[in-house]
Amino acid sequence: MKDISRSVPKEDHEEKVSGRALYVSDIQMADMHYAKTVRADRPHARIRNIRLPELPEGYVVVDHHDIPGANHVNMIFEDWPVFADSVVRHVGEPIMLVCGKDKQIIQSICDEIVIEYEDLEPVFDLQESVVHKSFQKGDAAAAFARADQVVERVYETGYQEQAYIEPQGFVGYLEGEKKVTLIGSIQCPYYVKNAVIKTLACDPEDVRVIQAAVGGAFGGKEEFPSLIGCQLAVAVHKLKKPIKIIYEREEDMIVTTKRHPSKTTMQAALDSAGRVLAIKAHVALDAGAYIGLSGVVLSRAMLAVTSAYTIDHLDVKGDVYLTHTVPNGAFRGFGAPQMIFAIDMFMHHLAKHLGKDPYQFRKAHQAKQGDRTATSGIFRDPILMDAMVEKATSMSDYHRKQKDYASPDVYRGIGMSWFLHGCGFTGSGESDHIKAKVRLRKSDTDHVYVLVAAVDMGQGAKTTLKKVVVETLGVPYNQVTFDDPDTDAVPDSGPTVASRTAMIVGGLLAQAAQTLKETWKRGETQVVEKTYRQPEFVIWDEKTLRGDAYPAYSWGVNIVEVSVSPVTYEVKVEKIWSVYDVGKALDERIVLGQADGGIAQGVAYGYLEVMRHHGGHIQHKNMTDYIIPTAVDMAPTETVIFDNPYALGPYGAKGVGELSLVGGAPAVAMAIEQAIGRPIQKIPATPEMIMELMRDETH
Amino acid sequence: MKPIKFILNDQPVEAHTNPSRRLLDVLRGDYGLTGSKEGCGEGECGACSVLLDGYAVNSCILPLASVEGRHVTTIEGYAKTQRFAVVKAAMGDEGGSQCGICTPGFMIAIESLLKKNPKPSEQEIRTGLAGNLCRCTGYNMIVKAVQKAAKVGEGLW
Amino acid sequence: MVRHVIPSSYREALVHLRDGSFHIVAGGTDIMLKYRNAADLPPRFERDVLYVLNLDELKYIHVEEGVWRIGALTAYETLLDHPEIPDVFKSAWIDIGGPGLRHVATLAGNIANASPAADGIMPLYLYDAQVVLESCAGSRTLPIDAVITGPKQTAIGPQEMIREIIVPKHDFDVATWVKVGTRKADAISKVSFCGAIKVESGVIKDLRLTLGSVAPTVIRARDLEATVKGITLTALEARLDALLDAYAARIRPIDDQRSTKHYRQQVARNLIEDFLKQQIRKG
């Protein structure tokens, strides 16, 4: 059998290089109308009055009065209004849509709308906890009681903006009297559909959601598009015309969800030999104005508390706080990047505190097969970290550089992170909430259609999922078609999130393809469906956060080398080395592409990407001020993929998408720390911060 | 008002419209050439890149009036060339496209770079692509694709 | 209703300027943003617009005795390709945006826009460049720092446009450019620096320093430069701290979304110090 990892041409390469792929803003329809959102310009206020200009014929405004169903967006926690009613809670909160045919007239109407507010006191500090979670492992209290010493450090992370190059957007239109169809730049067709059903209070068959080509998402098009979809569906019903809504860059950056800023307090109980007996951790996430997905992001952050280490006694707490700022949400890594930054830096700092070699210290705590996970589950599968770390250190010449760069006048540093990422939804999420279903349909010409809701947003889902089907069936590539999902045609195979697509959806497709192959009847129409069933060994208690949080884990090692200018305090990333265990790469080139893109985002999160708000107003709200790396900033990479097939993944595959991001920040932060000889406890480590550290100014 | 006359993808055209409009809007809206994308609207991301007399420019900040009498080539026009075919293949081999929204702009930037410098060093490639932002790939696969295209397509530029 | 005029010659452009009130659009990379509208709507220009990008008469680089003359509409990329333009100019200019921007953006546009963060104009201050302004009434030649009078303010009259930039040749021993941007390319400067020096037998014949993004206009303190002309590098070393303090007093940066006042102040000082110490070390 040939190696599944061998790359095949990317399914959508041709249409993408030639500009033929249709993104939502490219879609043309007869009689197209447009919508623009009228938004709050203050963080917290009561709306006293709205004065509208006289609307020309064919122009409407759409607000909360027009919603037939629930005025909140259906997501994990239902507190996020589709349109603000009496109170606005963040700058940019949507109040109404102005819709009509001519963009100039829409703009003029928007310019003339006057909203009178009564300002209310905004809250920007983390003071109002709205979600609290905790779990224990072993007996942390006893361990702290017998500790030789206790060390505490606080770690902070800032916003990160997904900065997909294609801003958010939808086209919506009516089919017949009441069925609304939405074509969007989305990760989760069924999230949008289910949200719209609740907002319209309509039957499921009256909402159809189709995915357009998606120009990058990274979590930013996970839950947020449901909000736009609900608004547009209401508008389409009111205006009864096709309507296109495309966010402008600044609008997108001001109002869409970002990675949660966090503050994590870590305490370690150390024994006299300098081993970590126990950790107490508290992670605080700033949710912004609405909770939305933040409780789940909090879970993933907490579950990553010991990352790739085994610590026997844990006391882990977390809180989500509301502030009058833009709501935060899903972003590749989903809470894990914040925690993995904290724990990896903490282990490094503990070693230094103890006067030990950080590499040896971390090695001594590294998780091994059979160990108990943070949530007292079991690492069942082989863990290859010894070999992976060895590979990473040898290809980067890590140990020699560690020594050479210890001298204060070289201003160079090398940092290493190691980490894991749980694949798929947390705990029993897949079986309790998602219940993924996939379908293969074979026509009477023996052509096979892959029918899943998985979205190709650049990560190559079309190529890899189709490949799983093609290789399992043993048919030529041109005998299988995978179109962008349309909820009228595909079953709900779940959202395209959480590094679940290859492992869960791919796994189900492999099963379906196997069944189809075994029952193949030439010239006959056949349909095969498979529904997710949780592996029997996965036992999880959502209340106590105890058990197997994930069915499988992907593992990684990142090494980053930097130089820092003592004149300008700027960081230059010199090179990045990575080693990953993703079970089995379904397509090597695609996995390497995910690796490169993920580490670029992860490293930039650690030192480059700055976003702050001032009084609730986002200060870095365009591509000139929110800085993502260019080709000149990005360092060369060297990446090695280890095979470690996972029994329940298709061809052994586990999750890929998020793994390559989560370790970037601690690796670059440790490298900077070495280069400047000062500890880093906060990211992004900007030149301004590095200056203060290097000059020993109080921060 | 007089129409703006220019050569669009090798065809002479006359645009009867407000000359201050952004070239991007005219290309996408009036000519249906949607391969050029709006990523930022401020000349920062390069997704809107087109060739003006053979070299890349940001069509989101270029007024239509400025192309009077000149050659504009969009990705749709460039896609018909042999050079495009070489770059396309190299981008495919090296994994240079992911979500694809920046990709037409990169294709234009790569053409412009190779036209000026058919044998660029790695650093020259990075500098040559610095006006194009990509959030998916981390660029290295695109850099390798340019190196490969320059080699495979030697003599074409 | 805004009028849009595309002159077919430079002379015609000047006549329009004499007879009306215009925004001048060259590469347009600044002005199109300044008057930007919602996507897919024309810019919100406040006056009639004169589009001059295609006036090929003003696209030239003349190398003459003692000077280069740069036509106002020569794009940065064209300047970068010219074999005789000194490296300090090229290293500053290649730090402007990306190639797509530089294929249309012009030095004259940068001068007219008068941004204190503009990289392109920094070496002009270093070289004491002169700017030729012309109208139907005639032409006048002003030093660069007399043309740019404040942030977004210039001495260019409503009927004038920039015709060319005259750059005197210098034989500096060293002329360097440092950009401290928000990233390594396609970035706006937080602080920028040019330094040039000419030393003969250990005596400083000429020393010039310019700083960008740290005051309302580019800083070039000729009075401070004069204090070190004619002294030895060794004497400079002794006076270094005093000189740095004197420069620090001229630096008046601001806090903004890109950086802090404190950082700009410190880095500007470091850049001067680093440049001067390198020269002292070389002897």
Side-chain angles (χ1 to χ4, degrees):
Chain A
M1 197 183 102
K2 75 180 181 205
D3 187 354
I4 188 87
S5 300
R6 220 167 73 199
S7 300
V8 297
K10 192 161 163 284
E11 193 68 12
D12 49 359
H13 180 67
E14 172 88 32
E15 65 182 39
K16 285 181 169 170
V17 288
S18 63
R20 281 189 287 105
L22 283 185
Y23 298 83
V24 61
S25 69
D26 304 333
I27 295 169
Q28 317 280 347
M29 287 182 74
D31 201 24
M32 187 76 93
H33 285 55
Y34 301 93
K36 191 173 172 77
T37 314
V38 176
R39 302 180 176 282
D41 63 355
R42 55 200 67 206
H44 191 202
R46 189 175 303 283
I47 299 173
R48 303 290 275 184
N49 186 30
I50 298 177
R51 287 209 308 274
L52 297 175
E54 194 166 330
L55 299 178
E57 197 181 327
Y59 291 79
V60 297
V61 299
V62 180
D63 68 8
H64 69 97
H65 298 102
D66 298 300
I67 297 173
N71 184 19
H72 58 68
V73 184
N74 181 58
M75 54 180 87
I76 303 285
F77 197 91
E78 301 184 340
D79 64 338
W80 194 339
V82 175
F83 290 110
D85 47 25
S86 56
V87 174
V88 295
R89 294 180 182 82
H90 68 94
V91 172
E93 180 151 11
I95 297 169
M96 63 178 81
L97 297 186
V98 176
C99 311
K101 181 120 180 146
D102 186 289
K103 290 177 186 170
Q104 183 72 64
I105 296 173
I106 293 170
Q107 182 63 45
S108 306
I109 294 169
C110 291
D111 290 346
E112 287 175 43
I113 292 173
V114 178
I115 303 172
E116 292 165 18
Y117 297 97
E118 174 195 343
D119 282 317
L120 303 171
E121 194 61 37
V123 173
F124 300 123
D125 299 331
L126 305 187
Q127 37 185 252
E128 190 191 342
S129 169
V130 285
V131 180
H132 176 79
K133 295 187 181 188
S134 66
F135 67 85
Q136 275 79 41
K137 175 187 181 186
D139 188 345
F144 269 83
R146 69 169 191 274
D148 187 60
Q149 58 172 318
V150 172
V151 177
E152 179 181 311
R153 294 281 187 279
V154 178
Y155 297 93
E156 291 178 66
T157 64
Y159 279 120
Q160 190 178 21
E161 159 65 37
Q162 293 85 356
Y164 33 69
I165 305 298
E166 179 210 24
Q168 307 243 2
F170 272 97
V171 168
Y173 56 92
L174 278 181
E175 288 181 68
E177 286 292 297
K178 56 177 185 172
K179 180 172 181 176
V180 64
T181 296
L182 298 170
I183 309 174
S185 180
I186 56 178
Q187 286 176 243
C188 313
Y190 274 92
Y191 276 10
V192 178
K193 177 172 165 124
N194 294 335
V196 172
I197 290 167
K198 286 208 174 178
T199 294
L200 294 182
C202 68
D203 296 329
E205 58 268 29
D206 290 337
V207 180
R208 176 184 182 189
V209 177
I210 301 169
Q211 177 227 320
V214 175
F218 316 111
K221 295 171 183 173
E222 177 171 337
E223 80 278 28
F224 192 88
S226 297
L227 173 69
I228 314 176
C230 288
Q231 294 170 343
L232 190 63
V234 175
V236 163
H237 267 286
K238 186 164 180 175
L239 193 61
K240 304 201 185 305
K241 297 284 184 188
I243 306 177
K244 185 190 274 194
I245 182 166
I246 305 293
Y247 280 13
E248 298 204 29
R249 174 58 58 185
E250 188 160 313
E251 177 178 30
D252 192 298
M253 283 195 151
I254 291 171
V255 307
T256 65
T257 49
K258 309 177 194 317
R259 191 183 302 292
H260 296 71
S262 75
K263 184 173 181 177
T264 301
T265 306
M266 293 290 219
Q267 284 182 306
L270 301 168
D271 68 12
S272 54
R275 264 196 76 86
V276 181
L277 292 171
I279 285 181
K280 281 188 196 172
H282 178 264
V283 56
L285 296 183
D286 180 349
Y290 298 107
I291 298 171
L293 296 184
S294 296
V296 197
V297 175
L298 178 70
S299 293
R300 201 179 259 275
M302 291 168 64
L303 301 177
V305 63
T306 47
S307 187
Y309 307 100
T310 295
I311 307 292
D312 291 335
H313 305 284
L314 296 173
D315 179 355
V316 182
K317 295 186 171 66
D319 286 278
V320 168
Y321 298 87
L322 287 187
T323 57
H324 292 106
T325 58
V326 57
N328 297 309
F331 190 159
R332 194 179 195 174
F334 210 75
Q338 291 95 321
M339 184 56 92
I340 286 173
F341 169 70
I343 181 64
D344 238 27
M345 298 309 286
F346 189 47
M347 292 299 281
H348 188 72
H349 292 156
L350 285 175
K352 285 185 162 176
H353 171 81
L354 290 163
K356 289 175 175 258
D357 171 26
Y359 174 78
Q360 295 299 342
F361 179 78
R362 290 162 68 192
K363 236 16 209 163
H365 292 86
Q366 188 184 290
K368 293 178 180 53
Q369 186 178 15
D371 281 357
R372 290 278 170 187
T373 67
T375 53
S376 312
I378 295 174
F379 286 121
R380 289 189 170 75
D381 297 313
I383 296 174
L384 309 183
M385 285 295 269
D386 279 333
M388 290 164 62
V389 169
E390 172 59 34
K391 179 72 192 170
T393 51
S394 67
M395 69 185 189
S396 61
D397 202 5
Y398 175 82
H399 295 296
R400 181 189 64 77
K401 289 175 180 171
Q402 262 294 323
K403 283 197 199 77
D404 290 354
Y405 301 163
S407 150
D409 54 357
V410 297
Y411 300 104
R412 256 182 121 89
I414 189 161
M416 169 162 52
S417 61
W418 56 49
F419 48 89
L420 54 65
H421 195 75
C423 305
F425 269 84
T426 303
S428 45
E430 284 288 346
S431 55
D432 292 353
H433 301 298
I434 303 299
K435 303 183 175 77
K437 185 193 274 188
V438 307
R439 187 183 299 146
L440 290 178
R441 186 167 59 79
K442 181 170 82 65
S443 70
D444 56 10
T445 60
D446 289 340
H447 194 87
V448 177
Y449 294 86
V450 180
L451 301 171
V452 293
V455 164
D456 195 318
M457 48 205 179
Q459 88 284 35
K462 268 187 172 172
T463 307
T464 46
L465 294 181
K466 177 170 165 177
K467 188 178 190 180
V468 165
V469 172
V470 163
E471 296 297 331
T472 306
L473 288 173
V475 298
Y477 274 82
N478 62 10
Q479 202 178 331
V480 177
T481 296
F482 179 174
D483 287 325
D484 290 335
D486 169 349
T487 57
D488 272 10
V490 304
D492 186 358
S493 62
T496 316
V497 304
S499 303
R500 66 182 288 279
T501 300
M503 185 174 89
I504 305 283
V505 181
L508 290 170
L509 280 174
Q511 291 172 31
Q514 189 59 36
T515 302
L516 181 61
K517 185 180 184 177
E518 287 163 6
T519 60
W520 189 277
K521 296 193 184 75
R522 246 179 90 180
E524 282 184 32
T525 301
Q526 285 178 275
V527 173
V528 178
E529 288 191 349
K530 294 286 173 186
T531 304
Y532 182 77
R533 283 182 36 219
Q534 184 154 300
E536 280 167 17
F537 60 79
V538 174
I539 294 163
W540 175 251
D541 182 343
E542 182 66 39
K543 284 198 184 66
T544 58
L545 300 178
R546 194 176 173 86
D548 287 302
Y550 302 98
Y553 298 86
S554 291
W555 301 80
V557 182
N558 292 150
I559 295 181
V560 175
E561 183 171 349
V562 304
S563 56
V564 176
S565 162
V567 176
T568 67
Y569 316 105
E570 292 170 293
V571 172
K572 178 166 193 279
V573 179
E574 302 283 351
K575 183 142 188 198
I576 302 170
W577 298 265
S578 302
V579 181
Y580 297 115
D581 159 14
V582 295
K584 177 75 185 166
L586 289 176
D587 190 283
E588 191 184 18
R589 185 166 55 213
I590 283 178
V591 171
L592 291 174
Q594 287 291 292
D596 265 12
I599 196 70
Q601 285 179 354
V603 168
Y605 177 49
Y607 86 104
L608 189 67
E609 297 187 19
V610 179
M611 181 176 271
R612 286 186 298 266
H613 74 81
H614 180 71
H617 295 263
I618 293 289
Q619 300 293 291
H620 306 83
K621 56 190 181 190
N622 52 46
M623 296 301 250
T624 307
D625 288 340
Y626 186 74
I627 295 299
I628 65 172
T630 67
V632 181
D633 296 276
M634 184 59 188
T637 52
E638 203 175 321
T639 305
V640 173
I641 309 291
F642 273 46
D643 278 357
N644 185 18
Y646 167 55
L648 299 179
Y651 296 87
K654 299 186 287 194
V656 177
E658 295 169 290
L659 180 73
S660 57
L661 186 146
V662 299
V668 74
M670 276 180 228
I672 295 169
E673 177 166 319
Q674 184 179 36
I676 67 173
R678 311 286 194 285
I680 304 277
Q681 288 178 225
K682 191 175 171 182
I683 52 170
T686 60
E688 287 77 8
M689 182 179 119
I690 291 169
M691 171 189 75
E692 292 180 2
L693 290 170
M694 287 179 78
R695 293 175 51 79
D696 298 318
E697 296 169 357
T698 50
H699 198 52
Chain B
M1 197 176 294
K2 279 200 304 185
I4 304 298
K5 297 181 185 176
F6 62 108
I7 312 293
L8 176 56
N9 295 333
D10 292 331
Q11 299 293 319
V13 295
E14 295 187 4
H16 296 262
T17 183
N18 181 335
S20 72
R21 287 175 65 203
R22 308 183 303 175
L23 178 63
L24 177 67
D25 296 332
V26 177
L27 294 172
R28 289 176 56 87
D30 301 12
Y31 295 99
L33 298 169
T34 55
S36 312
K37 311 296 183 185
E38 175 160 359
C40 69
E42 55 184 359
E44 197 73 25
C45 78
C48 65
S49 299
V50 299
L51 298 170
L52 182 64
D53 289 346
Y55 295 102
V57 296
N58 298 310
S59 68
C60 77
I61 51 172
L62 192 70
L64 173 66
S66 292
V67 307
E68 166 84 35
R70 301 179 71 174
H71 282 262
V72 174
T73 308
T74 67
I75 186 67
E76 289 86 352
Y78 180 52
K80 294 176 185 151
T81 66
Q82 197 188 347
R83 290 171 176 181
F84 171 86
V86 169
V87 180
K88 178 183 88 172
M91 286 281 275
D93 291 346
E94 297 298 333
S97 76
Q98 287 193 32
C99 85
I101 192 78
C102 71
T103 312
F106 267 95
M107 297 299 284
I108 293 291
I110 293 166
E111 162 61 24
S112 182
L113 165 67
L114 291 176
K115 183 179 162 80
K116 184 164 276 188
N117 182 358
K119 289 179 184 170
S121 67
E122 182 185 330
Q123 195 52 44
E124 286 167 342
I125 293 170
R126 290 182 186 273
T127 306
L129 300 179
N132 294 73
L133 296 177
C134 169
R135 191 59 156 164
C136 293
T137 63
Y139 304 102
N140 290 333
M141 290 172 146
I142 300 175
V143 172
K144 287 183 187 136
V146 178
Q147 289 169 326
K148 183 163 195 172
K151 203 166 163 196
V152 173
E154 198 179 338
L156 277 179
W157 282 278
Chain C
M1 185 73 180
V2 166
R3 262 189 333 136
H4 301 278
V5 179
I6 308 173
S8 52
S9 70
Y10 175 53
R11 189 47 48 194
E12 187 194 331
L14 293 181
V15 170
H16 284 294
L17 287 172
R18 182 193 65 201
D19 298 340
S21 170
F22 286 92
H23 292 301
I24 302 176
V25 178
T29 53
D30 285 319
I31 200 168
M32 286 293 281
L33 291 183
K34 184 174 175 189
Y35 295 101
R36 187 177 169 196
N37 201 342
D40 205 18
L41 294 180
R44 299 178 186 228
F45 286 125
E46 293 161 356
R47 299 198 292 273
D48 293 345
V49 189
L50 192 67
Y51 299 90
V52 299
L53 182 69
N54 294 330
L55 295 178
D56 291 343
E57 301 155 75
L58 297 191
K59 295 176 185 172
Y60 55 83
I61 304 160
H62 295 321
V63 183
E64 294 175 4
E65 186 70 30
V67 297
W68 295 281
R69 306 174 86 92
I70 297 172
L73 295 170
T74 316
Y76 276 118
E77 277 290 308
T78 312
L79 295 172
L80 285 171
D81 291 339
H82 196 276
E84 290 184 49
I85 301 271
D87 287 345
V88 65
F89 286 83
K90 290 189 178 178
S91 57
W93 291 341
I94 204 162
D95 276 344
I96 299 169
L101 189 106
R102 294 193 300 265
H103 279 129
V104 290
T106 62
L107 189 51
N110 253 175
I111 295 169
N113 190 50
S115 162
D119 299 325
I121 59 176
M122 282 280 287
L124 299 183
Y125 282 79
L126 195 73
Y127 273 64
D128 286 331
Q130 303 216 304
V131 181
V132 180
L133 304 175
E134 195 164 27
S135 69
C136 284
S139 73
R140 57 187 179 133
T141 302
L142 296 179
I144 179 73
D145 39 6
V147 175
I148 298 175
T149 53
K152 304 278 167 188
Q153 285 167 0
T154 69
I156 305 168
Q159 300 190 353
E160 284 180 320
M161 65 180 277
I162 298 171
R163 175 194 169 141
E164 68 178 11
I165 296 102
I166 302 171
V167 183
K169 293 181 185 171
H170 290 281
D171 57 344
F172 298 122
D173 301 333
V174 180
T176 62
W177 156 257
V178 182
K179 170 168 179 158
V180 183
T182 45
R183 63 184 161 208
K184 305 244 173 281
D186 200 17
I188 293 180
S189 291
K190 298 175 180 180
V191 183
S192 59
F193 172 82
C194 274
I197 193 163
K198 174 89 183 154
V199 178
E200 279 172 20
S201 320
V203 176
I204 299 169
K205 291 288 172 196
D206 198 356
L207 173 72
R208 302 174 178 205
L209 305 173
T210 67
L211 290 156
S213 297
V214 293
T217 57
V218 172
I219 291 180
R220 171 133 185 243
R222 290 188 172 77
D223 56 333
L224 297 181
E225 291 171 6
T227 65
V228 295
K229 270 179 209 163
I231 71 169
T232 63
L233 286 169
T234 320
L236 174 65
E237 189 170 13
R239 278 197 214 176
L240 191 56
D241 284 341
L243 185 65
L244 291 173
D245 289 343
Y247 269 98
R250 307 288 174 94
I251 299 167
R252 299 193 309 281
I254 55 163
D255 286 318
D256 64 12
Q257 71 276 29
R258 297 191 190 100
S259 190
T260 62
K261 182 178 168 175
H262 180 31
Y263 175 83
R264 289 180 163 119
Q265 183 96 38
Q266 184 63 48
V267 170
R269 186 186 177 106
N270 290 356
L271 287 168
I272 301 172
E273 182 178 10
D274 186 56
F275 175 78
L276 294 177
K277 280 190 170 167
Q278 280 184 39
Q279 310 318 316
I280 292 165
R281 233 174 288 133
K282 276 189 272 183

